[in-house]
mmCIF file of all heavy atoms in Angstrom:
data_model
loop_
_atom_site.group_PDB
_atom_site.id
_atom_site.type_symbol
_atom_site.label_atom_id
_atom_site.label_comp_id
_atom_site.label_asym_id
_atom_site.label_seq_id
_atom_site.Cartn_x
_atom_site.Cartn_y
_atom_site.Cartn_z
ATOM 1 N N ARG A 115 4.126 11.149 -16.399
ATOM 2 C CA ARG A 115 5.238 10.706 -15.565
ATOM 3 C C ARG A 115 5.138 11.242 -14.154
ATOM 4 O O ARG A 115 5.783 10.746 -13.254
ATOM 5 C CB ARG A 115 6.557 11.166 -16.177
ATOM 6 C CG ARG A 115 6.887 10.364 -17.407
ATOM 7 C CD ARG A 115 8.129 10.923 -18.018
ATOM 8 N NE ARG A 115 8.576 10.056 -19.089
ATOM 9 C CZ ARG A 115 9.562 10.370 -19.903
ATOM 10 N NH1 ARG A 115 10.195 11.519 -19.766
ATOM 11 N NH2 ARG A 115 9.919 9.549 -20.854
ATOM 12 N N ARG A 275 -4.778 -1.442 3.765
ATOM 13 C CA ARG A 275 -5.717 -2.532 3.995
ATOM 14 C C ARG A 275 -5.664 -3.477 2.814
ATOM 15 O O ARG A 275 -6.120 -3.145 1.732
ATOM 16 C CB ARG A 275 -7.139 -1.991 4.187
ATOM 17 C CG ARG A 275 -8.183 -3.069 4.332
ATOM 18 C CD ARG A 275 -9.485 -2.570 4.912
ATOM 19 N NE ARG A 275 -9.319 -2.237 6.309
ATOM 20 C CZ ARG A 275 -9.278 -1.008 6.788
ATOM 21 N NH1 ARG A 275 -9.407 0.012 5.988
ATOM 22 N NH2 ARG A 275 -9.104 -0.798 8.070
ATOM 23 N N ARG A 387 1.054 -1.878 7.162
ATOM 24 C CA ARG A 387 0.305 -0.629 7.110
ATOM 25 C C ARG A 387 1.206 0.571 7.422
ATOM 26 O O ARG A 387 0.989 1.675 6.915
ATOM 27 C CB ARG A 387 -0.817 -0.715 8.136
ATOM 28 C CG ARG A 387 -1.476 0.595 8.432
ATOM 29 C CD ARG A 387 -2.635 0.414 9.365
ATOM 30 N NE ARG A 387 -3.852 0.415 8.603
ATOM 31 C CZ ARG A 387 -5.033 0.781 9.095
ATOM 32 N NH1 ARG A 387 -5.135 1.129 10.349
ATOM 33 N NH2 ARG A 387 -6.090 0.793 8.344
ATOM 34 N N ASN A 421 32.026 11.466 -22.517
ATOM 35 C CA ASN A 421 32.877 10.284 -22.654
ATOM 36 C C ASN A 421 34.336 10.537 -22.296
ATOM 37 O O ASN A 421 34.977 9.711 -21.659
ATOM 38 C CB ASN A 421 32.773 9.714 -24.064
ATOM 39 C CG ASN A 421 31.495 8.896 -24.214
ATOM 40 O OD1 ASN A 421 31.035 8.276 -23.246
ATOM 41 N ND2 ASN A 421 30.898 8.932 -25.381
ATOM 42 N N ARG A 469 20.892 13.149 -2.746
ATOM 43 C CA ARG A 469 21.531 12.786 -4.001
ATOM 44 C C ARG A 469 22.836 13.545 -4.122
ATOM 45 O O ARG A 469 22.909 14.729 -3.791
ATOM 46 C CB ARG A 469 20.632 13.156 -5.169
ATOM 47 C CG ARG A 469 21.270 12.853 -6.515
ATOM 48 C CD ARG A 469 20.344 13.174 -7.664
ATOM 49 N NE ARG A 469 20.273 14.596 -7.947
ATOM 50 C CZ ARG A 469 19.167 15.301 -8.022
ATOM 51 N NH1 ARG A 469 18.001 14.730 -7.807
ATOM 52 N NH2 ARG A 469 19.196 16.588 -8.294
ATOM 53 N N ASP A 476 32.852 19.122 -10.649
ATOM 54 C CA ASP A 476 32.935 18.775 -9.232
ATOM 55 C C ASP A 476 34.278 18.153 -8.899
ATOM 56 O O ASP A 476 34.865 18.432 -7.849
ATOM 57 C CB ASP A 476 31.809 17.812 -8.870
ATOM 58 C CG ASP A 476 30.464 18.339 -9.317
ATOM 59 O OD1 ASP A 476 30.085 19.434 -8.854
ATOM 60 O OD2 ASP A 476 29.817 17.689 -10.146
ATOM 61 N N LYS A 566 -19.130 10.388 9.646
ATOM 62 C CA LYS A 566 -18.144 9.361 9.294
ATOM 63 C C LYS A 566 -16.911 9.432 10.188
ATOM 64 O O LYS A 566 -15.951 8.678 10.008
ATOM 65 C CB LYS A 566 -17.710 9.470 7.827
ATOM 66 C CG LYS A 566 -18.835 9.173 6.854
ATOM 67 C CD LYS A 566 -18.356 9.385 5.431
ATOM 68 C CE LYS A 566 -19.472 9.848 4.522
ATOM 69 N NZ LYS A 566 -18.971 10.716 3.447
ATOM 70 P P G B 53 27.078 16.139 -24.571
ATOM 71 O OP1 G B 53 26.838 17.591 -24.603
ATOM 72 O OP2 G B 53 28.464 15.616 -24.563
ATOM 73 O "O5'" G B 53 26.303 15.527 -23.342
ATOM 74 C "C5'" G B 53 24.930 15.868 -23.142
ATOM 75 C "C4'" G B 53 24.399 15.033 -22.010
ATOM 76 O "O4'" G B 53 24.669 13.649 -22.293
ATOM 77 C "C3'" G B 53 25.077 15.338 -20.682
ATOM 78 O "O3'" G B 53 24.155 15.164 -19.618
ATOM 79 C "C2'" G B 53 26.155 14.271 -20.580
ATOM 80 O "O2'" G B 53 26.466 13.913 -19.258
ATOM 81 C "C1'" G B 53 25.478 13.100 -21.286
ATOM 82 N N9 G B 53 26.455 12.211 -21.913
ATOM 83 C C8 G B 53 27.449 12.548 -22.779
ATOM 84 N N7 G B 53 28.158 11.522 -23.147
ATOM 85 C C5 G B 53 27.589 10.447 -22.478
ATOM 86 C C6 G B 53 27.938 9.083 -22.489
ATOM 87 O O6 G B 53 28.847 8.534 -23.098
ATOM 88 N N1 G B 53 27.095 8.330 -21.670
ATOM 89 C C2 G B 53 26.064 8.838 -20.953
ATOM 90 N N2 G B 53 25.366 7.969 -20.245
ATOM 91 N N3 G B 53 25.721 10.112 -20.936
ATOM 92 C C4 G B 53 26.528 10.855 -21.711
ATOM 93 P P G B 54 22.963 16.261 -19.333
ATOM 94 O OP1 G B 54 21.725 15.785 -19.941
ATOM 95 O OP2 G B 54 23.456 17.655 -19.606
ATOM 96 O "O5'" G B 54 22.841 16.073 -17.773
ATOM 97 C "C5'" G B 54 23.925 16.427 -16.949
ATOM 98 C "C4'" G B 54 23.463 17.405 -15.917
ATOM 99 O "O4'" G B 54 24.571 17.678 -15.041
ATOM 100 C "C3'" G B 54 23.036 18.759 -16.473
ATOM 101 O "O3'" G B 54 22.009 19.228 -15.626
ATOM 102 C "C2'" G B 54 24.284 19.624 -16.339
ATOM 103 O "O2'" G B 54 23.983 20.980 -16.104
ATOM 104 C "C1'" G B 54 24.903 19.049 -15.091
ATOM 105 N N9 G B 54 26.339 19.093 -15.002
ATOM 106 C C8 G B 54 27.292 19.414 -15.924
ATOM 107 N N7 G B 54 28.509 19.338 -15.446
ATOM 108 C C5 G B 54 28.323 18.932 -14.117
ATOM 109 C C6 G B 54 29.256 18.676 -13.098
ATOM 110 O O6 G B 54 30.482 18.745 -13.149
ATOM 111 N N1 G B 54 28.639 18.294 -11.916
ATOM 112 C C2 G B 54 27.286 18.180 -11.745
ATOM 113 N N2 G B 54 26.850 17.813 -10.557
ATOM 114 N N3 G B 54 26.401 18.411 -12.700
ATOM 115 C C4 G B 54 26.995 18.779 -13.838
ATOM 116 P P G B 55 20.536 19.532 -16.165
ATOM 117 O OP1 G B 55 20.437 19.559 -17.642
ATOM 118 O OP2 G B 55 20.005 20.620 -15.357
ATOM 119 O "O5'" G B 55 19.936 18.139 -15.649
ATOM 120 C "C5'" G B 55 19.356 17.239 -16.603
ATOM 121 C "C4'" G B 55 17.863 17.139 -16.354
ATOM 122 O "O4'" G B 55 17.654 16.900 -14.939
ATOM 123 C "C3'" G B 55 17.066 18.407 -16.680
ATOM 124 O "O3'" G B 55 15.755 18.022 -17.090
ATOM 125 C "C2'" G B 55 16.935 19.098 -15.335
ATOM 126 O "O2'" G B 55 15.759 19.894 -15.251
ATOM 127 C "C1'" G B 55 16.808 17.900 -14.420
ATOM 128 N N9 G B 55 17.195 18.126 -13.045
ATOM 129 C C8 G B 55 18.289 18.785 -12.573
ATOM 130 N N7 G B 55 18.342 18.794 -11.269
ATOM 131 C C5 G B 55 17.197 18.113 -10.870
ATOM 132 C C6 G B 55 16.712 17.812 -9.580
ATOM 133 O O6 G B 55 17.215 18.091 -8.501
ATOM 134 N N1 G B 55 15.528 17.109 -9.643
ATOM 135 C C2 G B 55 14.894 16.744 -10.789
ATOM 136 N N2 G B 55 13.755 16.063 -10.656
ATOM 137 N N3 G B 55 15.331 17.013 -12.003
ATOM 138 C C4 G B 55 16.482 17.695 -11.948
ATOM 139 P P A B 56 15.557 17.389 -18.583
ATOM 140 O OP1 A B 56 16.561 17.844 -19.549
ATOM 141 O OP2 A B 56 14.142 17.639 -18.791
ATOM 142 O "O5'" A B 56 15.858 15.840 -18.382
ATOM 143 C "C5'" A B 56 15.076 15.073 -17.512
ATOM 144 C "C4'" A B 56 14.899 13.686 -18.093
ATOM 145 O "O4'" A B 56 13.951 12.955 -17.292
ATOM 146 C "C3'" A B 56 14.358 13.658 -19.516
ATOM 147 O "O3'" A B 56 14.863 12.477 -20.097
ATOM 148 C "C2'" A B 56 12.846 13.542 -19.278
ATOM 149 O "O2'" A B 56 12.233 12.787 -20.340
ATOM 150 C "C1'" A B 56 12.779 12.692 -18.043
ATOM 151 N N9 A B 56 11.675 12.947 -17.126
ATOM 152 C C8 A B 56 10.865 14.045 -16.958
ATOM 153 N N7 A B 56 9.992 13.910 -15.992
ATOM 154 C C5 A B 56 10.259 12.632 -15.499
ATOM 155 C C6 A B 56 9.693 11.878 -14.454
ATOM 156 N N6 A B 56 8.712 12.302 -13.694
ATOM 157 N N1 A B 56 10.183 10.644 -14.242
ATOM 158 C C2 A B 56 11.190 10.213 -15.009
ATOM 159 N N3 A B 56 11.822 10.822 -16.014
ATOM 160 C C4 A B 56 11.283 12.039 -16.195
ATOM 161 P P U B 91 -18.179 8.147 0.731
ATOM 162 O OP1 U B 91 -18.516 9.279 1.607
ATOM 163 O OP2 U B 91 -16.837 7.515 0.810
ATOM 164 O "O5'" U B 91 -19.277 7.006 0.911
ATOM 165 C "C5'" U B 91 -20.657 7.353 0.991
ATOM 166 C "C4'" U B 91 -21.496 6.111 1.122
ATOM 167 O "O4'" U B 91 -21.300 5.268 -0.036
ATOM 168 C "C3'" U B 91 -21.151 5.188 2.282
ATOM 169 O "O3'" U B 91 -21.661 5.638 3.524
ATOM 170 C "C2'" U B 91 -21.766 3.876 1.824
ATOM 171 O "O2'" U B 91 -23.169 3.895 1.987
ATOM 172 C "C1'" U B 91 -21.448 3.907 0.330
ATOM 173 N N1 U B 91 -20.183 3.188 0.048
ATOM 174 C C2 U B 91 -20.259 1.816 -0.097
ATOM 175 O O2 U B 91 -21.308 1.208 -0.016
ATOM 176 N N3 U B 91 -19.068 1.194 -0.342
ATOM 177 C C4 U B 91 -17.831 1.778 -0.441
ATOM 178 O O4 U B 91 -16.853 1.071 -0.666
ATOM 179 C C5 U B 91 -17.821 3.206 -0.270
ATOM 180 C C6 U B 91 -18.984 3.845 -0.040
ATOM 181 P P C B 94 -16.978 -2.154 11.709
ATOM 182 O OP1 C B 94 -17.217 -2.778 13.032
ATOM 183 O OP2 C B 94 -17.055 -0.689 11.561
ATOM 184 O "O5'" C B 94 -15.564 -2.635 11.159
ATOM 185 C "C5'" C B 94 -14.836 -3.653 11.826
ATOM 186 C "C4'" C B 94 -13.708 -4.118 10.966
ATOM 187 O "O4'" C B 94 -13.960 -3.754 9.593
ATOM 188 C "C3'" C B 94 -12.341 -3.495 11.260
ATOM 189 O "O3'" C B 94 -11.676 -4.150 12.317
ATOM 190 C "C2'" C B 94 -11.629 -3.679 9.925
ATOM 191 O "O2'" C B 94 -11.178 -4.996 9.765
ATOM 192 C "C1'" C B 94 -12.765 -3.421 8.929
ATOM 193 N N1 C B 94 -12.827 -2.015 8.483
ATOM 194 C C2 C B 94 -11.850 -1.557 7.589
ATOM 195 O O2 C B 94 -10.963 -2.328 7.202
ATOM 196 N N3 C B 94 -11.903 -0.267 7.171
ATOM 197 C C4 C B 94 -12.858 0.546 7.603
ATOM 198 N N4 C B 94 -12.877 1.797 7.171
ATOM 199 C C5 C B 94 -13.856 0.103 8.537
ATOM 200 C C6 C B 94 -13.796 -1.172 8.940
ATOM 201 P P A B 95 -10.707 -3.259 13.358
ATOM 202 O OP1 A B 95 -10.939 -3.875 14.649
ATOM 203 O OP2 A B 95 -10.858 -1.832 13.225
ATOM 204 O "O5'" A B 95 -9.250 -3.616 12.827
ATOM 205 C "C5'" A B 95 -8.206 -3.548 13.754
ATOM 206 C "C4'" A B 95 -7.079 -2.734 13.140
ATOM 207 O "O4'" A B 95 -6.195 -3.590 12.411
ATOM 208 C "C3'" A B 95 -7.596 -1.692 12.164
ATOM 209 O "O3'" A B 95 -7.570 -0.410 12.770
ATOM 210 C "C2'" A B 95 -6.693 -1.776 10.958
ATOM 211 O "O2'" A B 95 -5.897 -0.663 10.840
ATOM 212 C "C1'" A B 95 -5.825 -3.000 11.214
ATOM 213 N N9 A B 95 -6.042 -3.926 10.121
ATOM 214 C C8 A B 95 -7.027 -4.842 9.945
ATOM 215 N N7 A B 95 -6.945 -5.497 8.812
ATOM 216 C C5 A B 95 -5.829 -4.965 8.201
ATOM 217 C C6 A B 95 -5.203 -5.220 6.956
ATOM 218 N N6 A B 95 -5.644 -6.125 6.105
ATOM 219 N N1 A B 95 -4.094 -4.501 6.655
ATOM 220 C C2 A B 95 -3.655 -3.583 7.526
ATOM 221 N N3 A B 95 -4.160 -3.254 8.719
ATOM 222 C C4 A B 95 -5.259 -3.994 8.998
#
Side-chain angles (χ1 to χ4, degrees):
Chain A
R115 287 176 172 172
R275 176 163 290 107
R387 166 176 260 207
N421 281 328
R469 178 178 77 233
D476 308 300
K566 294 176 211 149

